[in-house]
Amino acid sequence: MTLSAVLVAALLGQAPAAAKSTPSTPPGAREVLRSGAVGAQAATATPHRSNGWTGLGPEAFAALVAEAADAPLSERLLKMSGRFLDTPYQLSPLGEGTGVDPDPTFRLDAVDCLTFVEQSLALGMARTEADVAPLLERLRYASAPSYEDRNHLMEAQWLPNNVRKGFLVDATRRLGGADVVAVTKTLTRHTWQSRSSQALQLPPERQVVGSFTLDMLPLERVMAHARDIPSGTILVVLREDLPLKATRVTHLGFVVQRKQRTYLRHASRGGYNRVVDEDLETFLARNARYAKWKVTGVSLFEARRPEPGQPGPVVRSP
Protein backbone atom coordinates (compact mmCIF):
# COMPACT_ATOMS: atom_id res chain seq x y z
CA MET A 1 0.00 0.00 0.00
CA THR A 2 1.62 3.24 -1.16
CA LEU A 3 0.64 6.90 -1.09
CA SER A 4 -1.09 6.32 -4.43
CA ALA A 5 -3.06 3.45 -2.96
CA VAL A 6 -4.37 5.50 -0.05
CA LEU A 7 -5.14 8.35 -2.46
CA VAL A 8 -7.22 6.08 -4.64
CA ALA A 9 -8.96 4.78 -1.53
CA ALA A 10 -9.64 8.37 -0.54
CA LEU A 11 -10.90 9.33 -3.98
CA LEU A 12 -12.90 6.21 -4.78
CA GLY A 13 -13.59 4.56 -1.44
CA GLN A 14 -11.53 1.58 -2.59
CA ALA A 15 -10.69 -1.13 -0.06
CA PRO A 16 -7.08 -2.36 0.20
CA ALA A 17 -6.10 -5.26 -2.02
CA ALA A 18 -5.81 -8.72 -0.57
CA ALA A 19 -2.35 -9.81 0.50
CA LYS A 20 -0.31 -11.81 -1.97
CA SER A 21 1.96 -14.78 -1.33
CA THR A 22 5.36 -13.60 -0.12
CA PRO A 23 8.94 -14.39 -1.11
CA SER A 24 11.32 -14.92 1.80
CA THR A 25 13.89 -12.33 0.63
CA PRO A 26 13.01 -8.85 -0.69
CA PRO A 27 14.26 -8.67 -4.29
CA GLY A 28 16.63 -5.83 -5.16
CA ALA A 29 17.21 -4.23 -8.55
CA ARG A 30 19.58 -6.82 -10.03
CA GLU A 31 17.63 -9.75 -8.62
CA VAL A 32 14.35 -8.49 -10.06
CA LEU A 33 15.95 -7.96 -13.46
CA ARG A 34 17.18 -11.56 -13.45
CA SER A 35 13.99 -13.08 -12.11
CA GLY A 36 10.62 -13.66 -13.72
CA ALA A 37 8.89 -11.30 -11.29
CA VAL A 38 8.84 -8.39 -13.71
CA GLY A 39 7.34 -10.41 -16.54
CA ALA A 40 4.86 -12.09 -14.26
CA GLN A 41 3.52 -8.81 -12.89
CA ALA A 42 3.56 -7.00 -16.23
CA ALA A 43 0.36 -8.81 -17.18
CA THR A 44 -1.49 -6.87 -14.47
CA ALA A 45 -0.30 -3.51 -15.74
CA THR A 46 -2.37 -2.26 -18.67
CA PRO A 47 -2.02 -1.23 -21.42
CA HIS A 48 1.04 -3.30 -22.31
CA ARG A 49 3.71 -1.08 -23.87
CA SER A 50 7.45 -1.12 -24.31
CA ASN A 51 9.50 1.48 -22.49
CA GLY A 52 13.14 2.52 -22.38
CA TRP A 53 13.96 -0.32 -20.00
CA THR A 54 12.44 -3.10 -22.10
CA GLY A 55 14.91 -5.82 -23.01
CA LEU A 56 17.73 -4.58 -20.77
CA GLY A 57 19.64 -7.34 -19.02
CA PRO A 58 21.60 -6.78 -15.80
CA GLU A 59 24.84 -5.86 -17.57
CA ALA A 60 23.18 -3.35 -19.91
CA PHE A 61 21.25 -1.90 -16.97
CA ALA A 62 24.46 -1.48 -14.96
CA ALA A 63 26.20 0.19 -17.90
CA LEU A 64 23.30 2.58 -18.39
CA VAL A 65 23.28 3.64 -14.74
CA ALA A 66 27.04 4.26 -14.78
CA GLU A 67 26.99 6.25 -18.03
CA ALA A 68 27.67 9.97 -17.44
CA ALA A 69 27.24 9.34 -13.73
CA ASP A 70 28.66 12.76 -12.78
CA ALA A 71 26.43 14.76 -15.12
CA PRO A 72 24.22 17.41 -13.46
CA LEU A 73 21.43 15.74 -11.52
CA SER A 74 18.72 17.50 -13.55
CA GLU A 75 20.12 15.90 -16.72
CA ARG A 76 20.30 12.51 -15.04
CA LEU A 77 16.70 12.79 -13.86
CA LEU A 78 15.47 13.67 -17.34
CA LYS A 79 17.41 10.74 -18.79
CA MET A 80 16.21 8.16 -16.26
CA SER A 81 12.64 9.39 -16.00
CA GLY A 82 12.46 9.56 -19.81
CA ARG A 83 13.12 5.84 -20.06
CA PHE A 84 9.89 5.30 -18.12
CA LEU A 85 7.77 7.01 -20.80
CA ASP A 86 4.95 4.66 -21.86
CA THR A 87 5.46 2.50 -18.77
CA PRO A 88 2.01 1.25 -17.69
CA TYR A 89 0.43 2.67 -14.58
CA GLN A 90 -0.13 0.13 -11.83
CA LEU A 91 -1.39 1.00 -8.38
CA SER A 92 1.11 0.29 -5.58
CA PRO A 93 3.66 -1.73 -7.61
CA LEU A 94 6.41 -1.67 -4.97
CA GLY A 95 6.54 -3.12 -1.48
CA GLU A 96 8.94 -4.80 0.89
CA GLY A 97 8.99 -8.18 -0.85
CA THR A 98 7.32 -9.72 2.21
CA GLY A 99 4.89 -8.92 5.00
CA VAL A 100 2.02 -6.42 4.64
CA ASP A 101 3.05 -5.39 1.13
CA PRO A 102 4.96 -8.25 -0.56
CA ASP A 103 5.39 -6.55 -3.93
CA PRO A 104 8.99 -6.29 -5.26
CA THR A 105 11.27 -3.60 -3.88
CA PHE A 106 12.20 -2.46 -7.41
CA ARG A 107 10.71 -2.86 -10.88
CA LEU A 108 10.89 -1.15 -14.26
CA ASP A 109 7.77 -2.37 -16.05
CA ALA A 110 5.02 -0.68 -13.99
CA VAL A 111 4.80 2.41 -11.78
CA ASP A 112 2.39 4.68 -10.01
CA CYS A 113 2.96 8.42 -9.58
CA LEU A 114 5.08 8.08 -6.44
CA THR A 115 7.15 5.02 -7.36
CA PHE A 116 7.89 6.60 -10.76
CA VAL A 117 9.41 9.62 -9.00
CA GLU A 118 11.19 7.55 -6.34
CA GLN A 119 12.82 5.17 -8.81
CA SER A 120 13.77 7.99 -11.18
CA LEU A 121 15.43 9.80 -8.27
CA ALA A 122 17.34 6.69 -7.17
CA LEU A 123 18.48 5.91 -10.72
CA GLY A 124 19.42 9.54 -11.38
CA MET A 125 21.43 9.91 -8.18
CA ALA A 126 23.20 6.55 -8.51
CA ARG A 127 26.70 6.38 -9.90
CA THR A 128 26.71 2.58 -10.13
CA GLU A 129 24.05 -0.13 -10.25
CA ALA A 130 24.96 -1.07 -6.68
CA ASP A 131 23.88 2.41 -5.52
CA VAL A 132 20.31 2.12 -6.80
CA ALA A 133 18.72 -0.12 -4.17
CA PRO A 134 20.26 1.68 -1.14
CA LEU A 135 19.24 5.08 -2.52
CA LEU A 136 15.70 3.92 -3.19
CA GLU A 137 15.50 2.50 0.33
CA ARG A 138 16.61 5.81 1.84
CA LEU A 139 14.04 7.72 -0.23
CA ARG A 140 11.14 5.39 0.55
CA TYR A 141 11.73 4.82 4.26
CA ALA A 142 12.29 7.02 7.28
CA SER A 143 14.88 4.60 8.62
CA ALA A 144 14.27 0.85 8.51
CA PRO A 145 12.98 -0.79 5.29
CA SER A 146 9.73 -1.98 6.85
CA TYR A 147 6.13 -1.27 5.94
CA GLU A 148 5.50 0.60 9.20
CA ASP A 149 8.56 2.81 8.66
CA ARG A 150 7.78 3.66 5.04
CA ASN A 151 7.20 7.32 4.18
CA HIS A 152 3.48 6.83 3.52
CA LEU A 153 2.24 10.40 3.95
CA MET A 154 3.70 13.20 1.84
CA GLU A 155 3.32 16.21 4.15
CA ALA A 156 4.14 14.39 7.37
CA GLN A 157 6.79 11.93 6.15
CA TRP A 158 8.00 11.69 2.52
CA LEU A 159 8.70 15.38 1.94
CA PRO A 160 10.11 16.42 5.35
CA ASN A 161 12.17 13.26 5.75
CA ASN A 162 13.78 13.63 2.33
CA VAL A 163 14.41 17.33 2.92
CA ARG A 164 16.19 16.46 6.19
CA LYS A 165 18.22 13.74 4.48
CA GLY A 166 19.41 16.19 1.84
CA PHE A 167 17.56 14.68 -1.13
CA LEU A 168 15.11 17.58 -1.60
CA VAL A 169 15.01 21.36 -1.22
CA ASP A 170 11.71 23.23 -1.15
CA ALA A 171 11.91 25.61 -4.11
CA THR A 172 8.29 26.81 -4.11
CA ARG A 173 8.87 30.26 -2.66
CA ARG A 174 12.03 30.84 -4.69
CA LEU A 175 10.23 30.02 -7.95
CA GLY A 176 6.78 31.38 -7.10
CA GLY A 177 7.74 34.58 -5.34
CA ALA A 178 5.01 36.72 -3.85
CA ASP A 179 2.27 34.44 -5.20
CA VAL A 180 3.23 31.67 -2.77
CA VAL A 181 1.11 31.04 0.32
CA ALA A 182 1.63 28.77 3.33
CA VAL A 183 -0.91 25.96 3.74
CA THR A 184 -1.36 23.28 6.38
CA LYS A 185 -2.35 19.63 6.54
CA THR A 186 -3.75 18.64 9.91
CA LEU A 187 -3.92 15.02 11.05
CA THR A 188 -5.97 14.09 14.11
CA ARG A 189 -7.08 10.85 15.71
CA HIS A 190 -10.39 11.45 13.98
CA THR A 191 -8.60 11.44 10.60
CA TRP A 192 -7.42 7.89 11.23
CA GLN A 193 -10.99 6.66 11.70
CA SER A 194 -11.85 7.22 8.03
CA ARG A 195 -11.91 4.37 5.54
CA SER A 196 -9.21 5.91 3.35
CA SER A 197 -6.86 6.41 6.32
CA GLN A 198 -7.46 2.92 7.65
CA ALA A 199 -6.53 1.57 4.21
CA LEU A 200 -2.91 2.18 5.19
CA GLN A 201 -3.21 -0.53 7.85
CA LEU A 202 -0.85 1.26 10.21
CA PRO A 203 -0.88 0.39 13.93
CA PRO A 204 -2.10 3.18 16.25
CA GLU A 205 1.43 4.03 17.40
CA ARG A 206 2.42 4.78 13.77
CA GLN A 207 -0.63 6.93 12.99
CA VAL A 208 0.83 10.41 12.73
CA VAL A 209 -1.01 13.35 14.28
CA GLY A 210 -0.16 17.03 14.06
CA SER A 211 -0.09 19.95 11.64
CA PHE A 212 2.33 20.10 8.71
CA THR A 213 2.97 23.24 6.69
CA LEU A 214 3.87 23.54 3.01
CA ASP A 215 4.50 26.48 0.72
CA MET A 216 1.99 26.39 -2.15
CA LEU A 217 1.74 28.19 -5.48
CA PRO A 218 -2.03 28.61 -6.05
CA LEU A 219 -3.39 26.73 -9.04
CA GLU A 220 -4.43 29.86 -10.92
CA ARG A 221 -0.90 31.32 -10.65
CA VAL A 222 1.16 28.29 -11.71
CA MET A 223 1.29 29.11 -15.43
CA ALA A 224 2.53 32.63 -14.66
CA HIS A 225 5.73 31.02 -13.33
CA ALA A 226 5.81 27.84 -15.42
CA ARG A 227 8.65 28.80 -17.76
CA ASP A 228 10.87 29.65 -14.78
CA ILE A 229 10.62 26.15 -13.28
CA PRO A 230 13.79 24.20 -14.21
CA SER A 231 13.50 20.79 -15.85
CA GLY A 232 13.77 18.04 -13.28
CA THR A 233 11.91 19.97 -10.59
CA ILE A 234 9.41 17.82 -8.70
CA LEU A 235 5.89 19.26 -8.90
CA VAL A 236 3.55 18.16 -6.09
CA VAL A 237 -0.23 18.63 -6.47
CA LEU A 238 -2.22 19.71 -3.40
CA ARG A 239 -5.95 19.66 -2.74
CA GLU A 240 -7.97 21.33 -0.02
CA ASP A 241 -7.50 20.03 3.52
CA LEU A 242 -10.36 17.73 4.44
CA PRO A 243 -10.36 16.40 8.03
CA LEU A 244 -10.94 12.75 7.05
CA LYS A 245 -8.23 12.64 4.39
CA ALA A 246 -4.75 11.59 5.58
CA THR A 247 -3.10 13.76 2.94
CA ARG A 248 -3.86 16.67 0.66
CA VAL A 249 -1.10 15.70 -1.80
CA THR A 250 -2.66 13.63 -4.58
CA HIS A 251 -0.07 13.55 -7.36
CA LEU A 252 3.51 14.37 -8.33
CA GLY A 253 5.82 14.31 -11.32
CA PHE A 254 8.77 16.06 -12.97
CA VAL A 255 8.65 19.37 -14.81
CA VAL A 256 10.12 19.17 -18.32
CA GLN A 257 10.91 22.28 -20.40
CA ARG A 258 10.99 21.59 -24.13
CA LYS A 259 10.60 23.78 -27.23
CA GLN A 260 9.17 26.76 -25.35
CA ARG A 261 6.54 24.59 -23.68
CA THR A 262 6.31 23.28 -20.13
CA TYR A 263 5.30 19.67 -19.54
CA LEU A 264 4.63 17.44 -16.56
CA ARG A 265 6.25 14.02 -16.86
CA HIS A 266 4.11 11.81 -14.66
CA ALA A 267 2.51 8.41 -14.23
CA SER A 268 -1.10 9.19 -15.05
CA ARG A 269 -3.85 6.94 -13.75
CA GLY A 270 -6.55 8.66 -15.81
CA GLY A 271 -7.10 8.39 -19.54
CA TYR A 272 -3.41 7.83 -20.29
CA ASN A 273 -2.86 4.97 -17.82
CA ARG A 274 0.90 5.25 -18.37
CA VAL A 275 3.88 7.60 -17.98
CA VAL A 276 3.50 10.60 -20.28
CA ASP A 277 4.80 14.09 -20.94
CA GLU A 278 1.58 16.10 -20.64
CA ASP A 279 1.37 19.79 -21.45
CA LEU A 280 1.33 21.44 -18.03
CA GLU A 281 -1.37 23.94 -18.97
CA THR A 282 -3.62 21.07 -20.09
CA PHE A 283 -2.86 19.15 -16.89
CA LEU A 284 -3.69 22.15 -14.69
CA ALA A 285 -6.89 22.93 -16.57
CA ARG A 286 -8.06 19.35 -16.06
CA ASN A 287 -7.24 19.52 -12.35
CA ALA A 288 -9.10 22.82 -11.99
CA ARG A 289 -12.30 21.04 -13.00
CA TYR A 290 -12.26 18.64 -10.05
CA ALA A 291 -15.14 19.77 -7.84
CA LYS A 292 -15.57 17.05 -5.20
CA TRP A 293 -12.08 17.47 -3.74
CA LYS A 294 -10.77 20.79 -5.00
CA VAL A 295 -7.19 21.10 -6.28
CA THR A 296 -5.72 24.22 -4.69
CA GLY A 297 -2.17 24.48 -6.04
CA VAL A 298 1.29 22.96 -6.30
CA SER A 299 4.54 22.79 -4.36
CA LEU A 300 7.93 22.60 -6.08
CA PHE A 301 11.00 20.69 -4.91
CA GLU A 302 14.55 20.60 -6.25
CA ALA A 303 16.26 17.21 -6.10
CA ARG A 304 19.83 17.07 -4.81
CA ARG A 305 22.47 14.49 -4.12
CA PRO A 306 23.30 14.55 -0.38
CA GLU A 307 26.81 15.78 0.33
CA PRO A 308 29.43 12.96 0.36
CA GLY A 309 30.03 11.73 3.88
CA GLN A 310 27.00 13.64 5.12
CA PRO A 311 24.05 11.34 4.53
CA GLY A 312 21.76 13.40 6.72
CA PRO A 313 20.10 12.43 9.99
CA VAL A 314 18.18 9.21 10.38
CA VAL A 315 14.56 10.25 10.62
CA ARG A 316 12.02 7.78 11.94
CA SER A 317 8.30 7.95 11.43
CA PRO A 318 6.41 9.28 14.45
Side-chain angles (χ1 to χ4, degrees), residues 43-64:
T44 67
T46 57
H48 180 72
R49 296 172 182 265
S50 297
N51 65 12
W53 304 107
T54 302
L56 283 180
E59 289 72 25
F61 173 76
L64 179 65

Side-chain angles (χ1 to χ4, degrees), residues 118-160:
E118 289 174 329
Q119 292 190 123
S120 295
L121 286 171
L123 289 160
M125 292 177 183
R127 289 183 168 85
T128 69
E129 184 274 337
D131 296 335
V132 176
L135 281 164
L136 183 59
E137 181 177 299
R138 289 178 60 201
L139 287 159
R140 282 177 58 78
Y141 300 94
S143 180
S146 66
Y147 180 81
E148 292 77 14
D149 213 31
R150 196 194 299 173
N151 291 317
H152 291 284
L153 303 179
M154 294 296 286
E155 301 94 330
Q157 296 170 319
W158 197 90
L159 289 169

Side-chain angles (χ1 to χ4, degrees), residues 42 45-54 80-90 108-112 116 264-268 271-278:
T46 57
H48 180 72
R49 296 172 182 265
S50 297
N51 65 12
W53 304 107
T54 302
M80 296 303 179
S81 65
R83 297 190 78 90
F84 281 103
L85 288 170
D86 284 331
T87 302
Y89 182 100
Q90 181 171 311
L108 299 169
D109 67 313
V111 292
D112 60 21
F116 163 62
L264 182 66
R265 180 171 293 169
H266 64 125
S268 172
Y272 296 108
N273 205 32
R274 57 192 171 93
V275 178
V276 295
D277 281 352
E278 182 176 6

Side-chain angles (χ1 to χ4, degrees), residues 175-176 178-180 217-226 284 296-298:
L175 295 171
D179 285 331
V180 173
L217 182 59
L219 191 66
E220 65 274 13
R221 297 301 300 158
V222 176
M223 286 310 299
H225 301 273
L284 296 173
T296 53
V298 307

Side-chain angles (χ1 to χ4, degrees), residues 153 188-194 197-198 200 202 207-209:
L153 303 179
T188 67
R189 290 298 174 194
H190 186 55
T191 306
W192 290 100
Q193 302 306 309
S194 69
S197 301
Q198 290 180 354
L200 278 174
L202 289 172
Q207 294 174 359
V208 189
V209 294

